[in-house]
Amino acid sequence: GIPSTNPFKGNTSDFKEEIYAYGLRNPWRFSFDKVTGKLWCGDVGQGAWEEVDTIELGKNYGWNIMEGKHCYNASDCDQTGLTLPVLDYPHGAEVSITGGYVYRGSRLPELQGKYLYGDYGSGKIWAITDASPVTNQLVISGGINISSFGVAPDNEVLVVGIGTGRLYKIVNTSSVAEHSVNRSFTLRLASNKIVRSVSTLIGYVDLTIPTTLISASLVDMLGNEFALPNSANSSAGMVSLDLKPIASQLAPGMYFLRVSDGKQAISNKIVVE
């Protein structure tokens, strides 16, 4: 049944009575701390900011007046009655938050009681508390596209990587399993919108990685991956990605463009029209 404490219980304005809290845009993984019972949530932003929230009864978390702690499209940006996130971070290498768990394992005592979350694009994992002031500790520097987290029977935190076919365990505060990043490249898009009937271009900047090592794919919101044939042009530092061979398989909508050099992967949100 619907608890009598719910904010819209018994209302006559056609608000859903089962709503517990609202003002979130796209929660991507939420979890309860098994010790305190607190509900943590990673909320994916529109295009500029990602956020971490602790969800409480009846609170309004601001979307779409706010994106993170920043005004979005409201004419007066009235924040009266809104609850701002515990933490937000801007887009750059990071593009899409993946919410995790409060750490209650024994292997990493320095993380005890801290909330672990990651970013799909950069593969970074951080640990925060909601104490004042909030501390935000970088735990993992990157290496995989993080789609979800889990908890093993021994309470150690697991990480789900798209495209690898593996689960990973955080074994220390600098690595996820055997993944370590010792080289990098930068992904730049000519546009964040692409049309199925034509090609698009991505550019990368790197002085040591042969262009032939670069592979690319589109990943839809269900995790389905579509490999993109590419034509490398190392002298221009560009890779041309041809959508025509897979156009019939793609539905219009939001995707992640995933580019990998075999050691690491970088992703960016992209819209297929």
Side-chain angles (χ1 to χ4, degrees), residues 74-219:
S75 58
D76 58 1
C77 197
D78 183 3
Q79 299 179 39
T80 303
L82 303 183
T83 298
L84 297 183
V86 174
L87 174 143
D88 66 357
Y89 64 86
H91 283 195
E94 288 73 53
V95 295
S96 185
I97 192 170
T98 300
Y101 289 84
V102 173
Y103 183 79
R104 296 298 178 185
S106 58
R107 184 184 185 107
L108 303 168
E110 68 271 25
L111 298 181
Q112 188 63 220
K114 296 181 179 180
Y115 175 71
L116 299 178
Y117 71 97
D119 187 88
Y120 179 94
S122 69
K124 291 179 181 177
I125 298 174
W126 298 268
I128 65 171
T129 66
D130 62 343
S132 182
V134 172
T135 60
N136 190 41
Q137 170 191 351
L138 180 63
V139 177
I140 304 294
S141 59
I144 56 177
N145 292 121
I146 303 168
S147 62
S148 192
F149 289 86
V151 177
D154 61 0
N155 289 324
E156 297 300 325
V157 172
L158 303 175
V159 185
V160 181
I162 276 188
T164 67
R166 299 176 182 177
L167 288 175
Y168 299 87
K169 182 180 288 187
I170 299 176
V171 295
N172 59 59
T173 53
S174 62
S175 69
V176 177
E178 58 190 17
H179 269 253
S180 62
V181 178
N182 55 19
R183 62 190 194 185
S184 63
F185 59 95
T186 301
L187 173 63
R188 294 180 298 159
L189 297 180
S191 172
N192 65 350
K193 292 185 178 181
I194 53 180
V195 181
R196 286 175 292 168
S197 60
V198 299
S199 298
T200 188
L201 292 177
I202 64 165
Y204 70 93
V205 179
D206 183 81
L207 300 178
T208 60
I209 303 171
T211 319
T212 52
L213 291 181
I214 298 294
S215 63
S217 60
L218 287 179
V219 182

Side-chain angles (χ1 to χ4, degrees), residues 4-146:
S4 60
T5 53
N6 270 20
F8 300 116
K9 175 69 173 178
N11 82 91
T12 58
S13 301
D14 292 328
F15 299 137
K16 295 292 186 181
E17 295 183 75
E18 59 266 34
I19 292 173
Y20 179 85
Y22 55 106
L24 296 163
R25 180 184 173 274
N26 181 22
W28 191 255
R29 311 306 189 224
F30 62 85
S31 65
F32 291 93
D33 179 358
K34 62 172 55 181
V35 173
T36 67
K38 182 171 290 187
L39 175 58
W40 289 80
C41 176
D43 191 24
V44 176
Q46 173 68 25
W49 295 90
E50 307 294 303
E51 67 181 74
V52 174
D53 300 285
T54 54
I55 308 301
E56 298 180 11
L57 176 66
K59 290 192 173 180
N60 179 353
Y61 290 85
W63 178 257
N64 63 353
I65 297 172
M66 309 293 293
E67 183 184 10
K69 298 179 181 179
H70 306 266
C71 297
Y72 180 64
N73 66 353
S75 58
D76 58 1
C77 197
D78 183 3
Q79 299 179 39
T80 303
L82 303 183
T83 298
L84 297 183
V86 174
L87 174 143
D88 66 357
Y89 64 86
H91 283 195
E94 288 73 53
V95 295
S96 185
I97 192 170
T98 300
Y101 289 84
V102 173
Y103 183 79
R104 296 298 178 185
S106 58
R107 184 184 185 107
L108 303 168
E110 68 271 25
L111 298 181
Q112 188 63 220
K114 296 181 179 180
Y115 175 71
L116 299 178
Y117 71 97
D119 187 88
Y120 179 94
S122 69
K124 291 179 181 177
I125 298 174
W126 298 268
I128 65 171
T129 66
D130 62 343
S132 182
V134 172
T135 60
N136 190 41
Q137 170 191 351
L138 180 63
V139 177
I140 304 294
S141 59
I144 56 177
N145 292 121
I146 303 168

